Structure formats: structure tokens, C-alpha cells
Amino acid sequence: MSLKSSKKELIFPIAIFAVFITIVLVLWNKSLKTQKATFIREIQTTGSLRAKEFFSLVKYDVKSLENLKKRIEMTNGSYFQYWEKDARLILEQNPSFKFVEWLDTLMIIKKITPLEANRTAVGLDLSKHPRYPEWDNHVKDSSTNISQWTKLHQGGSAFLVDAPVYFEGKFKGSVTAGMDFTSPFNELVAGLDKYAIEVKDERGTIFYSKNNPNTSEIGNEFIFTTSFEVDALDGQKWTFSLMPSHLDFLAERKEATYVYLIFGLLLSFLTSLLVYFYQSSRGKNDYLGDANIKLKELNKSLKKEQLRAEKSSKAKTEFISNMSHEIRTPLNAIIGFIEVLKLSEIHSSLQEYLSLMDISSKKLLLLVNDILEIDKIESGKTTFRKDIFSPLQELKNIIRIYQRTAEEKGLHISLDSTINSDLNAVGDIGKYGQIITNILRNSLKFTEKGGITISYHENIVNDELAIDMVIKDTGIGIPKNKLKTIFDRFTQVDIGKAKRHEGSGLGLYITYKLVELLGGKIEVMSQENVGTEFYLSLKFPLAETKSKISTTNSESIDLSGCKVLIVDDNRVNVMVLKKTLEKLGVQSESASDGFEAVKAARKNCYHLIFMDIHMPKMDGLRATREIRKFNKDIGIIGLSADVTREAIDEAKGVGMNDYFTKPISFDKLRKHLPNYLVKIS
């Protein structure tokens, strides 16, 4: 390229640079002026809003005093008996009030609240005080008087606000308050650090200021000033001023403008360079344009793949949830028939098979429940009940349940606690029990000799019951390389084809998530072939009342002669429940849908109804509503495989007395039926 050609190519870029520089300088100068005008508007707007807030607060506080005056006038003075209580209430609700006093017709202080700090003022004659003429004028005018900033006899300064009281056609005295607005004003301007504020009375006395206002060194254009008439009779006005809190208030904004100026100059230079290199880089620009198009297409493709992955994940979650529910339905029937067979007289050779079926089916049910629990946790649908319960007693109950299992393995479970507490907490007893049960089952599974020791401590901290628990076993322990992942999903200590212990690896993951949702903490320490220790910390609000404990002895109650109605569209479920009730001596009839149930309940006399939730034609919720229209006394117990809190609340909301989740064991029926049938035994 020749020198002459290079000079021609420079002319246009230089011209562009000159034009851009001119535009940048013009815009920069205009920006400085705009910034100044904007800041002035900001001061005016902020000042106007703050002034309104200040003066509205003053009006509100004065109104509180006038309301006390009106209550005394409306009751012809009988409201004086509540003087102390009402005055203290005003002082508590309005931090600007320093005291409230009663001046009689001679302007003598008769009462004052609070008395402790103002005792020297009681009996003080103010008739010779310089503010007497002002007070007397307002008495004659029946209007509220606000004094100037006044030095008090008992120390300090305040505005004295007088509200004259008239009843029975005469002046009886005035309700007077000493008011200092410093505290509430400070609350109004909290966080307003870049502004200074001062408020003066009509004599120019500054009774409130913030951030050391300096009006003499700041131009008037940057100061917002307004006045407010606080006493129309005396023409008394307060002046409110708002201004920047420091002298270099525009410096920061100018710094930003200089940055923009430098940026504009740099941009002008770069733009000129771009123009200069435009022709030579045109080919590269075309290449970049093509690359950009390809990148957009790639982004669209990635977005589609992301949506597809999200749909796949959602479908997987829904599939797991639906399949879990579908598995529970036949599984509930299997467990129910096992319950019936266990109560029947069968050959001893079949007892072992029946026991194995019982154990296997319950393990499968636990696995399905774990899958459902994970689905609720990971989808954010976990809810927590507010039961009143004793954490220590619930721990003892769980230990009692697993004591037999431990003894069958030749192990011991002991509770190391000297606490004999009757403290109750508010929380989800089910989730609390699930946490302890999962840890205890885990310890029992991996312990072959020795046993499990549970240490329990509780303390009251800030109206909460703080629980610290250590569950220590003498099991096989956890390898060091798995301690960090022991609370992950599907993590197991022994894996592979030769693993000795069964399990899905979900229990500790669920435990960790529940503890996390409850705001607690769980940690684990372990040594291989020595044992494992779980450290659990939880906090629950203290309960004001004790948990309800049923005193009914179900073993001694005869339920023969009772008649119940079973409503379920599943013939197997009806058969299982009928057989179980027969063992308790309870007669039963059945209906296959809600319509039949309503018809049977209207025609026959039942002592209790078992109502399935999900049925064709008319579901259990609607059937319950219909029955409650003509029979509000009969007990109705809902039946469903749905264990969510929403389903339970919905069932009880339509009028069901209780809600049983399937399968229903013989022990559960024997425990709960007396609560509804004992009255006819």
C-alpha cells in the first residue's frame, strides 16, 4: 500500500474522531448541568416527603393526647379512674412522650405519669410561669396549645402540649404532655446518611438535628426549607430544613462524569480505529457473522436439550411417585391378609413362612414410603405438623418398640439420661420419630454384638427446647472414605454382590434432609470394627400445655354388638377389613361407592363408618359432606394410601373424625376403635 493511499485512508477516521470528541464534550457539559439539576430535585423531593412524615408524626402524637382529653369529656370526668393506665399506654405507644400530667384550673400540677422521674413537679404552681398567658388564651379558645421548646423544672427540655378539658359546662383543667420528638424522628430518617436535617421552632431554637447540618457553607439552592404551623392561635410555626450532609456532595457524581468523559474519548478513538480497519477486516467480520449465527443455533439447540432434560426429570419424578402409590395398593392388601392370617389358627409349619412374608412385605412398604418421602422432600412439598408432645417420652416409646428386635439379635438398647422431664414441645412428632427410628434401625442393622446406647439431654434456650442426642452402637463402623458421603442418596457401607446387609441407602439421606428442614444438625463419627456415633441436635418451641394422653384401656373393652359400615370400591380391601373387625367382635356391612354409603347411612344405624377417599361415582370426601348434612354425630374415619399432610387436612376439613393410612393393622384398630365405640359397650 502506497503512502498516498495511507493518508487518504486516515482522513475519514480523523474526521470521525473530531466529530465524536465534539459530541462527547457537549454531552459531558450537559451531563454536569443535568446532574446538578437532578440532585436539586432529589433534595426537594426527599425534603418534601420527609417533612410530611415529620409533621404527620407530630399531628399523630398530639392527636393521642387529644383523644385522652375527649374520653374524659365524654364521661364527665369518670374516666379519671383510668388515668394512670391510659397515660402509661400513651407513653408506651408514643416514644415522643416524656410524661403526661394533669393541670387544674389554677395551673397547678396535680398528677403526673411516670411519677418516679417527675416527683418534684407534683404540686408545682405554674400560674406565674411565663407560659401562663399562652395557656390561658388556649383555655378560653378551647384549642390545643403547643409551647416553645421549654426547659423543664425536673430537668431536660421538651415541648409542653396542653389540651383543655371541659365538661358539665365548665373548664376543669388540662391534659398536658412533655414531648421530645428526637427518638421517633431518628427512626424516620434511619439510613438517610447522605442528608443532614434540622428542625427549629419559631424562635429559631434547633430542637432536632441529624448529621450536623451546616447551612452557612452550602448554597441555598441545595437546601430544602419548609414550615409547618403547629399552633394556629399563636401563629407558631416550625421550620424543617434538609441539605447534603457533607460539602463535597457533588464530588462523587462528578467523578462518575469524568469516568464517562474518559470512556467517551476512548470510545471515539476506538471508533476511528474501527472505521480505519473496516475495509481490511470486512472479510473477518463476515466470518464472525457466520460464527455468530452458528453460535445462536447452538444455543437454541442447547436450550431445547435443557428443556428436554427438565421434562425427563419431571416425568421421572412423577413416574416414581405414581408407581409408588400404585405399588402401595396391592401391597396394603397383602399386609392386611397377613394380619388376618396371623390372627387365625394355622399349622405351625406355616407360621415361619407367614412371618417371612410379614417381614418382607413391611420392608417393601418401608422402601415405598422412603421413595415417597424423598419425592416430597426434593419437590419442596414436605409439610410439618404442630403436635404437642414430649420428645423424651417419644424417644422412650421408640426404644420400647425396637427392644424386642434387639433382644432377638442378642443386643441391648439402653437410654443414658438422668432427666425426669415433663417438658412438652410443639413440632411434628412423626418427623421427629422418623429421624430417631431411621438412625436406630441403621444401628441395629449393622450391629452384631454388644448393643446401642442413647444419650439424651435437653435444655431451655430462649423459650425453645434444645435437644442433644448421641446414638452410639458397637457395630461394624463406617470406612473413612465413606464418612463424607454417608448422608447421600443410595450410599451403603457394603456394596457389590457379596454385601451382607440389606437396604436401599435412603434412610440416612431422608434423616439428614428432615433434620436440615427442621433447622437442626446431625453429624457422624465412626471407626471400623469399633462402632458408630450419631450426634443429633434439634430445637422445638416450648408448649404451653401438656400433650394429651389417652387413658382408655383397649384391652379391657368389649366391642361386640358394634356395627360399622365399610365404604371402599376395592373388594380385597373390604374383605381384609371385615376379617380384621370380626376378630374384634365388630359386625360390618359394606358399600362400593359414595352414593351407596349415603343411602346406607340414611337407612341404617351404624356406630362408625370407614370411608375410602378415592372411589368412582362419588368419592369419600363428597360422601362425608352429604352424611354430615343429616348425621353430625356418627364417627367417620377416612382410609387412603395417600400419606401427605394436605390429604389428611382435607379429609378432616369435610367432617371426618380421623384418617387412617393403609394398611390398617390389627393393633392399630384395637387401639383406636374404643375411642369411637366404647360408649355403646
Side-chain angles (χ1 to χ4, degrees), residues 127-142:
S127 60
K128 305 299 182 182
H129 195 274
R131 80 181 193 90
Y132 175 80
E134 180 185 348
W135 177 82
D136 188 50
N137 287 338
H138 282 274
V139 168
K140 294 174 182 177
D141 188 58
S142 300

Side-chain angles (χ1 to χ4, degrees), residues 26-40:
V26 170
L27 292 176
W28 176 66
N29 186 51
K30 187 176 181 180
S31 175
L32 290 177
K33 294 179 180 179
T34 303
Q35 271 193 354
K36 180 178 178 181
T38 301
F39 190 54
I40 291 172

Side-chain angles (χ1 to χ4, degrees), residues 450-464:
I452 301 167
T453 303
I454 302 174
S455 301
Y456 178 90
H457 299 280
E458 64 182 26
N459 294 293
I460 299 175
V461 180
N462 297 328
D463 294 329
E464 289 186 318

Side-chain angles (χ1 to χ4, degrees), residues 51 54-59 62 66 134 138 143-149 159-162 181 185 199-203 207 227-240:
F54 273 45
F55 298 142
S56 294
L57 187 145
V58 173
K59 284 183 178 180
V62 172
E66 290 175 341
E134 180 185 348
H138 282 274
S143 60
T144 301
N145 172 50
I146 299 179
S147 74
Q148 299 171 343
W149 187 247
F159 288 104
L160 297 173
V161 183
D162 307 299
F181 298 97
F185 281 3
V199 187
K200 300 185 291 187
D201 63 11
E202 75 285 352
R203 293 186 303 180
F207 63 87
S227 60
F228 171 69
E229 188 175 65
V230 295
D231 192 332
L233 184 63
D234 298 331
Q236 186 181 167
K237 294 183 178 180
W238 291 353
T239 303
F240 173 94

Side-chain angles (χ1 to χ4, degrees), residues 439-503:
I439 299 174
L440 193 57
R441 282 172 46 205
N442 190 78
S443 295
L444 282 170
K445 182 167 64 175
F446 292 102
T447 303
E448 302 296 336
K449 60 181 179 178
I452 301 167
T453 303
I454 302 174
S455 301
Y456 178 90
H457 299 280
E458 64 182 26
N459 294 293
I460 299 175
V461 180
N462 297 328
D463 294 329
E464 289 186 318
L465 189 62
I467 299 167
D468 293 303
M469 202 181 307
V470 180
I471 301 176
K472 181 179 180 181
D473 65 52
T474 57
I476 63 173
I478 304 170
K480 285 185 178 180
N481 63 338
K482 291 193 175 181
L483 273 175
K484 292 183 179 180
T485 60
I486 195 65
F487 293 114
D488 293 346
R489 281 194 301 179
F490 308 116
T491 297
Q492 293 176 306
V493 173
D494 55 345
I495 57 175
K497 296 179 180 178
K499 73 173 186 176
R500 293 181 298 149
H501 302 92
E502 297 179 351

Side-chain angles (χ1 to χ4, degrees), residues 158-436:
F159 288 104
L160 297 173
V161 183
D162 307 299
V165 178
Y166 286 84
F167 58 86
E168 296 177 350
K170 297 180 181 179
F171 170 64
K172 299 294 184 177
S174 68
V175 180
T176 300
M179 302 176 74
D180 182 355
F181 298 97
T182 301
S183 178
F185 281 3
N186 281 337
E187 291 183 10
L188 286 178
V189 297
L192 206 67
D193 296 328
K194 66 178 181 179
Y195 295 109
I197 297 172
E198 71 174 20
V199 187
K200 300 185 291 187
D201 63 11
E202 75 285 352
R203 293 186 303 180
T205 302
I206 300 173
F207 63 87
Y208 176 78
S209 66
K210 176 182 173 63
N211 292 335
N212 302 316
N214 190 348
T215 56
S216 61
E217 298 185 19
I218 296 176
N220 291 333
E221 59 186 336
F222 296 107
I223 300 175
F224 171 83
T225 302
T226 187
S227 60
F228 171 69
E229 188 175 65
V230 295
D231 192 332
L233 184 63
D234 298 331
Q236 186 181 167
K237 294 183 178 180
W238 291 353
T239 303
F240 173 94
S241 298
L242 180 140
M243 65 210 74
S245 58
H246 49 84
L247 297 177
D248 54 344
F249 52 88
L250 285 177
E252 293 180 2
R253 302 192 179 206
K254 284 185 177 180
E255 286 178 5
T257 307
Y258 282 117
V259 171
Y260 295 145
L261 174 62
I262 294 170
F263 177 75
L265 295 174
L266 183 60
L267 184 63
S268 301
F269 178 71
L270 292 175
T271 303
S272 302
L273 286 179
L274 287 173
V275 172
Y276 177 73
F277 290 112
Y278 172 71
Q279 293 296 333
S280 61
S281 62
R282 189 170 182 177
K284 292 182 179 180
N285 286 340
D286 292 339
Y287 172 78
L288 290 174
D290 294 338
N292 189 42
I293 292 171
K294 291 180 181 179
L295 182 61
K296 287 180 179 180
E297 292 175 353
L298 181 60
N299 285 336
K300 287 181 181 179
S301 177
L302 289 173
K303 193 170 184 179
K304 287 180 181 178
E305 291 298 322
Q306 182 183 1
L307 291 173
R308 187 180 301 170
E310 289 175 355
K311 287 180 180 178
S312 176
S313 176
K314 185 178 179 181
K316 180 193 72 175
T317 302
E318 290 176 353
F319 172 77
I320 291 173
S321 178
N322 292 334
M323 286 304 298
S324 298
H325 282 289
E326 290 300 319
I327 293 171
R328 282 178 65 93
T329 301
L331 185 58
N332 291 339
I334 293 170
I335 294 174
F337 276 121
I338 291 172
E339 288 281 340
V340 173
L341 290 173
K342 284 168 66 179
L343 298 172
S344 305
E345 295 181 3
I346 61 174
H347 196 275
S348 58
S349 62
L350 300 176
Q351 286 287 352
E352 183 179 355
Y353 298 148
L354 187 62
S355 178
L356 290 172
M357 286 171 62
D358 188 27
I359 293 170
S360 299
S361 61
K362 286 180 178 177
K363 282 184 178 179
L364 181 56
L365 182 61
L366 285 172
L367 177 60
V368 173
N369 288 340
D370 283 346
I371 293 172
L372 288 173
E373 189 66 48
I374 288 175
D375 180 55
K376 286 192 291 182
I377 289 172
E378 295 185 344
S379 61
K381 295 179 180 179
T382 301
T383 57
F384 294 93
R385 297 168 54 183
K386 292 186 178 180
D387 304 307
I388 296 176
F389 70 101
S390 167
L392 178 57
Q393 188 59 46
E394 179 63 15
L395 173 61
K396 291 178 179 178
N397 293 339
I398 294 171
I399 292 173
R400 193 178 300 113
I401 291 170
Y402 285 94
Q403 194 77 47
R404 184 175 176 182
T405 305
E407 290 172 356
E408 289 175 354
K409 291 186 67 175
L411 306 174
H412 68 83
I413 301 179
S414 58
L415 176 61
D416 180 14
S417 176
T418 58
I419 297 173
N420 187 17
S421 171
D422 60 351
L423 293 174
N424 289 284
V426 179
D428 193 322
I429 187 174
K431 296 292 191 294
Y432 172 77
Q434 186 177 0
I435 290 168
I436 298 172

